[in-house]
Amino acid sequence: MNEREWPEEGELVVCTVADVKDFAAFVTLDEYNERRGLIPISEIARGWIKYIRDFVREGQKVVCKVLNVDPDRGHIDLSLKDVNEHQRREKVHEWKNEQKATKWVGFAAEASGVDRKVIEEAIFREYGQLYPAFEDIVTTGGEAADKLNLDEPVKAALITVANENVKVSRVTITGNLILSSPRPDGVNVIRRALRSAQPKVENVDIDLIYVGAPKYRIKVTAPDYKEAEKAIEKAANAAVGVVERAGGSGKFIRKQKAG
């Protein structure tokens, strides 16, 4: 599930193939209330495609990149070929974690006698996703539950459920860097900015993924959320600073915050 009704362009989404035609595959988006999406044959795979069914079939789970969203027409264009194997595995892992967290919210709701929607809304408001909240509760010894502004019985239930189900070794947070430069050597400016966003920090991994100019995804993996938050903020500020000092513009958007 997702707190937003529609996906964003550039987002990776888990889909179920519903119908395969000669010219396209029609899918439902598992995280967006089964909204329908379309993968044209040109976005199924790289190279020439003779039979589309050699690549997709009804009932198959696939990870796609969102190319275009038109809520007025109820239309979502998707690409399968733009998702590499590493991205696919990571997205499936994230999706499975969200499914587990959805069940955990149900356990907490039952134990505390509170409507699960109240708990979900509180978590989405703070984290944008469900699973990171349970990770955060475990890594902070339960302190993160206070950020949700829920009644004590609900917080106690969430802490119990988190401790019973989550085994945290490292945590990952993500965000988007929006970087642009009007200079003739703007490409080099952006490259310097991205290099500055990848300092060597012990026990912290920082990955930058090109989404589509001017957007770059920044992913930080660290032993706990506090360290990850500190690292992603420092990396983003470094990149934005390089661009702004060169006369360009930059901003950082935390992906996991609801908006």
Side-chain angles (χ1 to χ4, degrees):
M1 67 173 298
N2 199 294
E3 87 281 12
R4 288 183 283 109
E5 293 187 7
W6 295 90
E8 297 176 350
E9 291 183 16
E11 183 178 342
L12 298 183
V13 291
V14 176
C15 307
T16 302
V17 179
D19 191 19
V20 179
K21 303 294 186 183
D22 291 338
F23 60 90
F26 295 89
V27 301
T28 56
L29 279 66
D30 292 32
E31 302 155 285
Y32 289 92
N33 296 317
E34 306 298 312
R35 288 196 182 279
R36 297 272 288 186
L38 169 71
I39 314 172
I41 190 170
S42 61
E43 294 294 335
I44 292 289
R46 301 191 183 280
W48 184 69
I49 299 174
K50 185 175 182 180
Y51 300 113
I52 192 172
R53 289 181 182 274
D54 289 341
F55 300 89
V56 289
R57 63 187 182 278
E58 283 86 353
Q60 181 182 0
K61 293 285 185 188
V62 294
V63 175
C64 296
K65 181 179 179 180
V66 178
L67 299 179
N68 182 59
V69 179
D70 187 342
D72 292 334
R73 294 172 55 211
H75 193 73
I76 304 172
D77 289 318
L78 303 162
S79 174
L80 183 59
K81 73 179 184 182
D82 283 352
V83 181
N84 62 39
E85 182 60 24
H86 175 71
Q87 291 172 318
R88 188 194 70 79
R89 286 198 304 267
E90 281 207 337
K91 180 59 188 180
V92 169
H93 179 68
E94 175 190 291
W95 172 67
K96 287 181 177 179
N97 279 344
E98 280 297 286
Q99 287 187 308
K100 289 187 289 187
T102 298
K103 293 181 181 178
W104 299 342
V105 169
F107 296 156
E110 185 176 354
S112 62
V114 172
D115 189 326
R116 64 175 300 139
K117 289 184 178 179
V118 173
I119 302 174
E120 287 175 345
E121 287 173 1
I123 294 176
F124 278 134
R125 202 160 42 237
E126 182 64 30
Y127 291 91
Q129 291 177 303
L130 298 177
Y131 188 81
F134 288 93
E135 276 191 330
D136 206 5
I137 288 170
V138 172
T139 57
T140 61
E143 289 182 9
D146 293 332
K147 295 191 295 185
L148 301 176
N149 294 317
L150 292 167
D151 293 338
E152 289 301 324
V154 187
K155 288 193 288 186
L158 286 171
I159 293 171
T160 298
V161 171
N163 287 329
E164 288 177 350
N165 292 280
V166 180
K167 300 294 181 286
V168 176
S169 54
R170 286 171 70 79
V171 299
T172 298
I173 61 176
T174 61
N176 287 326
L177 278 169
I178 312 298
L179 306 172
S180 61
S181 173
R183 288 175 33 163
D185 64 339
V187 172
N188 292 329
V189 172
I190 299 301
R191 285 175 180 166
R192 289 200 303 273
L194 294 176
R195 281 198 298 270
S196 74
Q198 291 182 291
K200 293 193 178 297
V201 181
E202 189 175 356
N203 293 326
V204 175
D205 297 321
I206 300 176
D207 295 317
L208 290 165
I209 303 162
Y210 176 71
V211 177
K215 184 186 291 186
Y216 302 83
R217 182 156 299 135
I218 180 169
K219 183 179 73 171
V220 172
T221 303
D224 56 59
Y225 273 104
K226 184 177 181 180
E227 196 165 343
E229 291 280 4
K230 182 179 177 181
I232 200 170
E233 183 177 350
K234 184 176 180 180
N237 287 342
V240 170
V242 169
V243 171
E244 290 183 342
R245 285 193 295 273
S249 62
K251 65 178 178 178
F252 173 60
I253 303 170
R254 262 303 302 273
K255 187 72 173 175
Q256 289 180 316
K257 293 294 183 185

